[in-house]
Amino acid sequence: MKYNQLKASDLVCVNVAVKAFAEGIQVIKNKKIMEFDENTYVKLPDVNFHDGTIKVKVLSRLLPDAPEFARGFIGIAFRINEDDTAFESFYVRPTNGRVCDPVRLHRACQYFSYPGYTFDYFRRNNILKYENAADIGLNEWIQLKAIIKGKPWDILCE
């Protein structure tokens, strides 16, 4: 299934606002969401996806009022349940892509599984194997490709 000409009205918004532009769709997190690991994404309606390949081109820009710790998070959510209480995600932090700090550099991309195995869970338990470096930056188009197959990560951890 290909979605080359998506419109903002084609998407289901979960704690975000969307706006269509000639070059794509802008997604902005709801300002009421202040906690880490909250559900913030758009999803395709009526898609039952479990295994397969997802390819998207994304562009991350910081908002003028972005806090100092903002990293330009942008990514792919998949295996989303019907009530938006569980999903898996792969995302990138473009501001970490080309820094001299080796810790931040290693944290340019991350996988997580909501709600049990989140960013906060990984940090509290010092789990680093689901993050890695990536040569990416803000204000540039980034090609993301996720090949999803097999059981969800949280099932494998049990």
Side-chain angles (χ1 to χ4, degrees), residues 30-132:
N30 184 325
K31 290 190 183 279
K32 294 178 187 174
I33 303 296
M34 299 303 291
E35 301 295 321
F36 293 123
D37 297 324
E38 291 297 316
N39 300 1
T40 53
Y41 52 80
V42 294
K43 66 180 181 178
L44 302 171
D46 305 319
V47 173
N48 185 7
F49 176 88
H50 186 77
D51 287 357
T53 301
I54 301 171
K55 294 191 286 186
V56 295
K57 283 176 82 174
V58 297
L59 175 71
S60 181
R61 294 182 175 145
L62 295 180
L63 296 172
D65 61 348
E68 177 65 30
F69 60 84
R71 300 288 180 250
F73 296 96
I74 192 164
I76 301 168
F78 53 94
R79 294 180 176 168
I80 303 168
N81 69 356
E82 286 189 32
D83 64 358
D84 298 307
T85 59
F87 61 92
E88 291 179 82
S89 180
F90 169 80
Y91 66 91
V92 295
R93 299 176 184 100
T95 59
N96 285 5
R98 298 185 185 120
V99 295
C100 294
D101 178 346
V103 173
R104 277 189 57 198
L105 186 65
H106 181 77
R107 294 178 172 170
C109 61
Q110 179 163 8
Y111 164 86
F112 75 95
S113 179
Y114 185 88
Y117 300 97
T118 61
F119 161 84
D120 184 53
Y121 174 85
F122 291 140
R123 286 295 187 274
R124 281 185 286 115
N125 293 287
N126 199 30
I127 299 170
L128 304 175
K129 67 181 179 177
Y130 297 100
E131 294 181 278
N132 214 333

